[in-house]
Amino acid sequence: AEYMGESSCFRESIIVVMFCATRSLFKRVLPRLPAQAGVAIMSGSSSRAFHSTRTQMPYFSRLGLGCALVSLPVAFAYQSRAFSEAGATREIDAGHVNDLKDGEMKEIVVGDPKDKQSFLLVRVAGEYYAVGSKCTHYGAPLVNGLLTGDEVHCPWHDAGFNVRTGDSVLAPALDGLPKYPLKKTADGRLLVTVPSELPKVGSRKMARRDPQNGRVFVIVGGGAAAVTAAETLRADGFTGRIVMVTQENALPYDRTTLSKNMGVPVEKIGLRDQKFFDSHDIEVMKDARVTEVDTRGKKVTLANGQQLAYDSVLLATGASPRAPTVPGSNLKGVYTLRTPSDSANIKNSTATAKKVVVIGTSFIGMESAACIKKAGGANVEVVVVGDQDTPFQHVLGSEIGSALKRFFEDNGVTIRTSRSLKQFEGTDKVTAVVLDNGERIEADAVVVGIGVIPNTSVIKGLSLERDGSVPVDMFLKAGSNVYAAGDIARYPYWLSGNSVRIEHWNVAQQQGRVAAHNMAGKPSTYNSVPFFWSMFFGKGLRYAGHGAGYDEIHIEGDLKQLKFIAYYLKNNTVIAAASMQSDPACTVIAEAMKTGMMPSGEELKSGRENIESIKKRVKAKGVESCGRSGGCCGGGQH
């Protein structure tokens, strides 16, 4: 009972009931069975119990004794089950070895479908593997994703996992998949051993701090790149000191939710808890503002005067929202969005507001507008102001921007396009927004989403780009023992050769992983295809690639129904794609771009190629690479 806790008490009660039932059944034969026998059974002293019974009741019949003895193994079986249940396993028949072909997968439901427990059965190069069926990022069903080589990719956000090991190989998933033992029987059945409760994530070996290792790696920042880098260092075997320095008062969290779910508590979106960092000897310094990173002297100085000498440093300082500079910008009720406190302030302010104005028609602005309108409904009037002809025009183009404009208007949001901000009105708190054409829009609150600025002013000893970004090479190296990742990093995009800076969550996270590999002495290049997603009024948008400078868009599907795939072309080459209600289209396209399997713009426009033919070709390529080499090469970062 001490071992199992309260759950054991229930099973002990069953033992008592069984003993009493036996006594009642044979009370004519055993009119005076002593109570201490039952007590003895519960205490494990059955031999003493029956010795007592035999000496006190010599008329105990063979029938009564036999039934009592039969009850004992059953009772002890219940007790034994109580002790082993926590580690109980079961063997699941997952089918026959010929059920799947190479490059195929299926989801196997375990037990009652209502429990929603399942695993993914995968066949790669003639071998079967059983891993978790849900993406460890947001729980997407991987069976609906893409299996290419020995990697399965999430249909929603392109997270990648190696099915042989379960390891996460591509952002945004931090955790790998659980992996289950599998064996083949003589008649070709596949038996998978799973625990009574299937885990949601897998485990991986992580190094611990070795006091004899005096090396110090400092990570400046506490976002996606920082947390991924810290744990990748330990996974790569680094045993020195790891210090993550962040000016925020929270542990790393999923920043992408702040504009989609205003006011969400930071505890609900945390990426790792304190226990995780403690168990892996990763120091996290919160509320620690860095005043200087001396890349020549190899030290980081904090606002409190403390200095951290380092052997290697990762700069992952992120970016700050670009603030408006027009008159009235400092009035109360004018907000920018970057942190959980910003999100909470906006939610509190707009909860009682009757009129809200959003400045900016790109993703932060439009996501914020959708979130505020959805929360307030008919009680709040939301007006979005942007200087482009359509929302999202710079990234998605006018045609898709117009379709999304109609979609927002159908959901009650008013949009003013081709207008710029002139000033805010109000004495102490904002009361109105004035546009460049003189139009005055009343406002109880204003949310500004007009871009971000790299946080690099504290970096000394490096030559920065004009926009303040840090130039790095393909290894994300910015200087001697200096690496940079995330919003501040300007890197050579391997598909085009151009120097780019991309403000995507996936990019930051994967760059943190690659930078950590290099810091740990495991050379790795950043050669992923950028991927991001958005959500408004329940509809998701995916985007793969980097479409800057496109000269044509080919749309496959129904734009009016927002069920489409848009291919962004430059010189007849697909350089990016966007999709809605077409998963896993962008996951497939990202892999096709990665492996050189994308058709030309002409082939797509003529109808000779489409998403289904692309998917078929990508999967076939993965099967071929595994079968030819005996080892696979998927599309994630290796």
Side-chain angles (χ1 to χ4, degrees):
E2 290 178 359
Y3 176 74
M4 288 300 295
E6 292 181 0
S7 62
S8 180
C9 296
F10 175 73
R11 291 180 175 82
E12 296 292 0
S13 300
I14 293 177
I15 296 172
V16 175
V17 171
M18 290 179 65
F19 188 85
C20 293
T22 303
R23 180 187 177 199
S24 298
L25 183 62
F26 297 105
K27 67 180 180 178
R28 292 185 179 180
V29 180
L30 308 173
R32 295 187 61 201
L33 185 61
Q36 62 262 36
V39 174
I41 287 176
M42 290 182 64
S43 65
S45 304
S46 57
S47 62
R48 292 196 303 273
F50 278 92
H51 176 74
S52 173
T53 303
R54 186 176 65 251
T55 56
Q56 294 184 33
M57 304 172 65
Y59 53 86
F60 194 88
S61 71
R62 289 184 179 181
L63 178 60
L65 178 61
C67 290
L69 289 173
V70 167
S71 72
L72 278 174
V74 178
F76 282 118
Y78 271 93
Q79 192 171 24
S80 175
R81 177 183 172 188
F83 282 91
S84 63
E85 186 173 89
T89 61
R90 45 184 162 168
E91 211 166 52
I92 304 298
D93 188 330
H96 193 270
V97 291
N98 294 328
D99 288 350
L100 297 181
K101 299 177 182 178
D102 281 347
E104 292 183 344
M105 57 183 174
K106 69 175 179 179
E107 186 175 4
I108 306 294
V109 176
V110 177
D112 191 337
K114 294 180 181 179
D115 295 336
K116 297 181 179 180
Q117 292 202 101
S118 62
F119 61 84
L120 193 68
L121 185 69
V122 184
R123 177 168 166 165
V124 175
E127 295 295 329
Y128 277 92
Y129 303 91
V131 295
S133 64
K134 300 292 190 294
C135 177
T136 60
H137 178 227
Y138 273 180
L142 293 175
V143 71
N144 295 335
L146 174 70
L147 176 63
T148 173
D150 56 5
E151 291 180 12
V152 61
H153 289 252
C154 169
W156 296 351
H157 307 134
D158 198 35
F161 306 90
N162 185 302
V163 297
R164 298 178 189 267
T165 63
D167 292 342
S168 168
V169 296
L170 191 64
L174 282 172
D175 292 298
L177 300 173
K179 190 172 182 292
Y180 306 111
L182 182 151
K183 65 181 180 181
K184 302 175 187 176
T185 65
D187 59 350
R189 304 303 298 178
L190 299 170
L191 302 181
V192 179
T193 302
V194 299
S196 56
E197 289 291 330
L198 273 62
K200 294 182 179 180
V201 301
S203 59
R204 61 175 171 173
K205 186 178 180 180
M206 304 273 278
R208 295 297 301 267
R209 171 83 185 279
D210 180 359
Q212 301 301 315
N213 188 339
R215 301 179 72 197
V216 178
F217 286 178
V218 174
I219 300 171
V220 184
V227 66
T228 308
E231 57 185 86
T232 300
L233 286 171
R234 286 288 186 241
D236 281 351
F238 178 67
T239 60
R241 184 185 178 198
I242 300 175
V243 185
M244 184 191 305
V245 184
T246 174
Q247 65 180 359
E248 296 202 45
N249 61 3
L251 293 173
Y253 55 86
D254 185 352
R255 196 183 305 277
T256 67
T257 63
L258 297 181
S259 55
K260 303 177 182 69
N261 185 11
M262 291 285 187
V264 58
V266 68
E267 296 80 13
K268 290 188 176 182
I269 58 175
L271 299 175
R272 297 297 191 201
D273 58 19
Q274 188 63 52
K275 183 179 178 181
F276 174 88
F277 293 111
D278 291 343
S279 63
H280 299 298
D281 299 320
I282 299 170
E283 301 174 44
V284 182
M285 300 178 66
K286 297 184 293 184
D287 287 314
R289 185 171 62 87
V290 173
T291 57
E292 183 179 84
V293 179
D294 181 358
T295 60
R296 292 174 181 166
K298 299 177 71 172
K299 61 184 178 181
V300 175
T301 303
L302 307 183
N304 63 4
Q306 181 180 356
Q307 290 189 332
L308 296 169
Y310 65 79
D311 293 280
S312 189
V313 65
L314 173 63
L315 306 174
T317 49
S320 295
R322 190 182 298 276
T325 57
V326 301
S329 295
N330 59 347
L331 289 171
K332 294 179 181 178
V334 177
Y335 302 97
T336 56
L337 176 58
R338 185 68 178 178
T339 67
S341 60
D342 293 336
S343 183
N345 290 336
I346 293 171
K347 179 181 180 179
N348 294 335
S349 180
T350 58
T352 56
K354 298 297 182 182
K355 297 182 179 182
V356 176
V357 175
V358 177
I359 307 298
T361 52
S362 194
F363 289 94
I364 294 297
M366 298 302 284
E367 287 176 359
S368 299
C371 185
I372 293 168
K373 183 62 181 178
K374 189 174 181 179
N379 295 323
V380 60
E381 178 184 345
V382 178
V383 179
V384 182
V385 177
D387 58 4
Q388 298 178 346
D389 294 338
T390 67
F392 309 105
Q393 182 176 346
H394 180 68
V395 177
L396 301 179
S398 298
E399 193 172 1
I400 295 174
S402 295
L404 287 171
K405 179 175 182 288
R406 290 191 295 270
F407 175 64
F408 270 75
E409 290 172 340
D410 290 342
N411 280 276
V413 176
T414 301
I415 299 179
R416 299 278 194 273
T417 57
S418 302
R419 295 269 69 91
S420 59
L421 177 64
K422 182 179 180 180
Q423 69 180 65
F424 297 109
E425 288 186 349
T427 304
D428 178 55
K429 183 179 181 299
V430 68
T431 57
V433 172
V434 180
L435 306 185
D436 59 338
N437 63 350
E439 181 182 2
R440 183 179 181 276
I441 306 173
E442 293 184 358
D444 300 311
V446 177
V447 180
V448 180
I450 53 175
V452 297
I453 302 172
N455 292 327
T456 55
S457 61
V458 300
I459 299 172
K460 309 301 179 185
L462 294 180
S463 296
L464 304 181
E465 299 288 345
R466 291 183 62 184
D467 64 352
S469 59
V470 179
V472 297
D473 61 17
M474 67 179 65
F475 300 99
L476 301 176
K477 193 171 186 178
S480 178
N481 297 306
V482 179
Y483 296 83
D487 291 354
I488 68 170
R490 181 170 291 278
Y491 66 96
Y493 183 37
W494 65 278
L495 270 175
S496 65
N498 296 329
S499 176
V500 300
R501 183 177 72 86
I502 298 178
E503 301 159 0
H504 299 343
W505 185 260
N506 275 32
V507 170
Q509 199 171 326
Q510 193 67 10
Q511 286 183 347
R513 179 176 288 163
V514 172
H517 287 324
N518 290 305
M519 293 169 74
K522 296 186 175 183
S524 180
T525 58
Y526 179 65
N527 59 357
S528 296
V529 174
F531 194 102
F532 78 87
W533 63 93
S534 188
M535 177 73 72
F536 10 77
F537 298 112
K539 293 195 183 296
L541 180 141
R542 326 289 185 206
Y543 187 98
H546 184 58
Y550 69 87
D551 51 40
E552 189 177 1
I553 303 176
H554 169 65
I555 295 177
E556 176 183 322
D558 190 341
L559 192 56
K560 290 183 179 180
Q561 298 298 319
L562 296 182
K563 185 177 175 62
F564 66 87
I565 303 164
Y567 301 89
Y568 295 83
L569 312 177
K570 184 175 183 179
N571 299 327
N572 199 37
T573 298
V574 178
I575 60 173
S579 71
M580 293 185 72
Q581 302 187 81
S582 303
D583 294 335
C586 277
T587 295
V588 171
I589 292 168
E591 181 66 17
M593 295 172 69
K594 167 80 176 179
T595 55
M597 303 297 291
M598 275 302 295
S600 68
E602 287 300 324
E603 289 174 314
L604 288 166
K605 290 187 292 183
S606 68
R608 297 195 303 273
E609 295 279 358
N610 57 30
I611 190 60
E612 291 304 319
S613 64
I614 298 170
K615 184 177 181 179
K616 184 177 180 179
R617 185 184 301 110
V618 167
K619 293 185 66 166
K621 180 71 173 180
V623 172
E624 178 188 349
S625 66
C626 285
R628 181 179 62 248
S629 63
C632 304
C633 181
Q637 176 64 44
H638 298 279

